[in-house]
Amino acid sequence: MTIGARTRRGVSDPVETLIAALSGPARPIGLTLSGDAPLAYVLEKAQQSLGRPLVLVTPTPVLAEAAQQALEFFGLDTVRLPAPPSPFLPVASNPALEAERLAALYRMASGPLPRAIVADIGALLRVTIAPAELAGRTGRVRVGDDID
């Protein structure tokens, strides 16, 4: 789908075009943006109109991080599911990355959903823990709490 493309009547409104596409049954939509509207702006306006979270899948981790930053610039509360360096490495190959990944999964499972979820294709290849199991294995620790 090309958003902001020229039509016989002029240039289509990219926000209205995306809203119309997303208003139908849930399905993947490939986007190509032409014209002057930044993609993040178009996605923010569409999400605001639809009132449900958008899921943006990118081909690389670099593009996922750039998309998250752009969406947050336009005010979207965003969670990015980071990808491991390789789907073939052990889960704990990068503890900081795994902590970031578990934090993203916990946020999506335990609270109100963010307005946008960003992931690259590699992040979607990794098997994750079920939301109920994650909730049963986590807890909150606040400053001043006593722990055993």
Side-chain angles (χ1 to χ4, degrees):
M1 160 187 296
T2 300
I3 295 184
R6 294 199 174 273
T7 65
R8 286 185 229 168
R9 297 182 187 146
V11 177
S12 66
D13 180 342
V15 176
E16 289 180 14
T17 303
L18 183 57
I19 290 170
L22 293 173
S23 294
R27 63 184 169 81
I29 298 174
L31 298 178
T32 302
L33 190 67
S34 64
D36 295 331
L39 179 59
Y41 171 79
V42 172
L43 290 171
E44 189 277 331
K45 291 298 179 191
Q47 191 284 327
Q48 194 175 46
S49 175
L50 294 169
R52 64 180 190 234
L54 295 176
V55 178
L56 181 61
V57 180
T58 66
T60 67
V62 172
L63 290 174
E65 188 172 348
Q68 178 187 20
Q69 291 172 356
L71 290 168
E72 288 175 346
F73 176 81
F74 285 102
L76 253 76
D77 175 31
T78 305
V79 167
R80 182 174 62 89
L81 186 63
S86 166
F88 306 108
L89 291 176
V91 173
S93 64
N94 184 338
L97 183 75
E98 290 303 321
E100 186 181 345
R101 187 172 169 79
L102 284 170
L105 292 169
Y106 179 79
R107 178 156 181 235
M108 289 186 284
S110 67
L113 286 173
R115 292 177 60 199
I117 300 166
V118 180
D120 67 88
I121 198 69
L124 300 180
L125 292 175
R126 174 74 77 178
V127 176
T128 63
I129 189 170
E133 187 175 348
L134 180 62
R137 293 175 180 247
T138 56
R140 290 187 179 257
V141 178
R142 293 180 175 78
V143 174
D145 284 354
D146 291 330
I147 56 174
D148 296 329

